[in-house]
């Protein structure tokens, strides 16, 4: 059983997918804490509804990013966290946390990395005119969406797609891929060699 921390800034549908997968016995782990930078994040309500500890660190309350990151790091350590899951967390994690939890932080990104990192992913994909996009679960490193790729799922981009329509279609697969990656981690099936992920059978 691994101890999981989920960091989320918004509506938290990916958090919900993890909660549901745990309830269904599909993840050998427990969400010990949900952390947000946004007091209004609906993700916090989802955690409360399930009796999961949750805490907000509003960024503007801290003098420096270093102090902000240290608070989060202290919190993670106090909960004895094995895996940090970024599920719509809209901040770049600080180097200290990344160093402490190397290859123990995963993120879900709604495109097929290394294409379209960063923000406004669906808009980028539609404007570029790609015919296939999708989602990626990857480890977090110091770059922007550049860490080792764990799982990907391709989704067709339709000719008349809007950002919303594409986002909705990809989201369905995010909700499958993220719990799947967490379970692989929980089963200790993920190995990283030279920036590449190998999944043990
Ligand atoms: C998802 O599309 C995720 O890929 C991206 O942010 C969005 C978060 O959605 N990183 P939700 O808050 O999990 O509903």
């Amino acid at each position: 059983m691994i101890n999981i921390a989920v960091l989320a800034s918004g509506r938290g549908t990916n958090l919900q997918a993890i909660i549901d997968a745990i309830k269904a016995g599909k993840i050998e782990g427990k969400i010990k804490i949900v952390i947000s930078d946004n007091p209004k994040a609906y993700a916090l309500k989802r955690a409360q509804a399930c009796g999961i500890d949750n805490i907000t660190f509003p960024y503007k309350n801290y003098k420096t990013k270093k102090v902000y990151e240290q608070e989060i790091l202290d919190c993670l350590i106090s909960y004895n966290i094995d895996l940090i899951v970024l599920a719509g967390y809209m901040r770049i994690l600080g180097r200290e946390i990344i160093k402490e939890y190397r290859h123990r932080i995963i993120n879900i990104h709604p495109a097929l990395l290394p294409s379209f990192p960063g923000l406004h992913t669906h808009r980028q994909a539609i404007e570029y005119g790609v015919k296939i996009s999708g989602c990626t679960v990857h480890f977090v490193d110091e770059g922007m969406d550049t860490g080792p790729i764990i799982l990907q799922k391709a989704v067709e981009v339709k000719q008349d797609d809007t950002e919303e329509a594409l986002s909705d279609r990809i989201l369905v697969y995010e909700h499958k891929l993220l719990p799947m990656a967490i379970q692989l981690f929980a089963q200790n099936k993920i190995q990283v060699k030279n920036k590449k992920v190998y999944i043990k059978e």
Side-chain angles (χ1 to χ4, degrees), residues 147-198:
I149 290 172
I150 304 168
L151 293 175
Q152 290 188 302
K153 170 75 188 168
V155 175
E156 186 194 350
V157 182
K158 298 195 173 151
Q159 222 154 258
D160 53 356
D161 251 338
T162 59
E163 279 181 60
E164 202 188 2
L166 180 59
S167 154
D168 286 351
R169 243 176 18 261
I170 293 177
L171 196 62
V172 174
Y173 293 100
E174 293 182 35
H175 295 164
K176 295 182 202 294
L177 221 59
L178 189 54
M180 217 186 271
I182 296 171
Q183 172 64 352
L184 288 171
F185 183 93
Q187 293 174 306
N188 203 16
K189 286 189 172 172
I190 305 178
Q191 267 186 336
V192 187
K193 274 190 228 155
N194 300 328
K195 260 213 81 173
K196 239 168 108 174
V197 164
Y198 295 83

Side-chain angles (χ1 to χ4, degrees), residues 4-10 12-16 18 31 33-37 43 65 68-69 72 76 81 83-94 97-98 101 104-110 136-147 150 171 174-175 177-179 181-182:
I4 302 165
V6 179
L7 273 59
S9 303
T13 64
N14 277 289
L15 166 65
Q16 192 65 51
I18 303 167
I31 303 177
I33 179 83
V34 170
I35 296 176
S36 187
D37 56 328
K65 180 167 166 85
Y68 175 75
E69 292 289 327
I72 296 180
L76 293 165
I81 294 304
L83 176 70
I84 303 170
V85 180
L86 307 186
Y89 184 64
M90 298 310 285
R91 295 195 169 276
I92 306 220
L93 268 197
I97 298 180
I98 294 172
Y101 287 90
R104 293 196 292 144
I105 310 172
I106 64 177
N107 179 46
I108 176 84
H109 184 77
T136 303
V137 181
H138 64 95
F139 283 115
V140 172
D141 66 7
E142 284 79 1
M144 167 72 86
D145 300 323
T146 53
I150 304 168
L171 196 62
E174 293 182 35
H175 295 164
L177 221 59
L178 189 54
I182 296 171

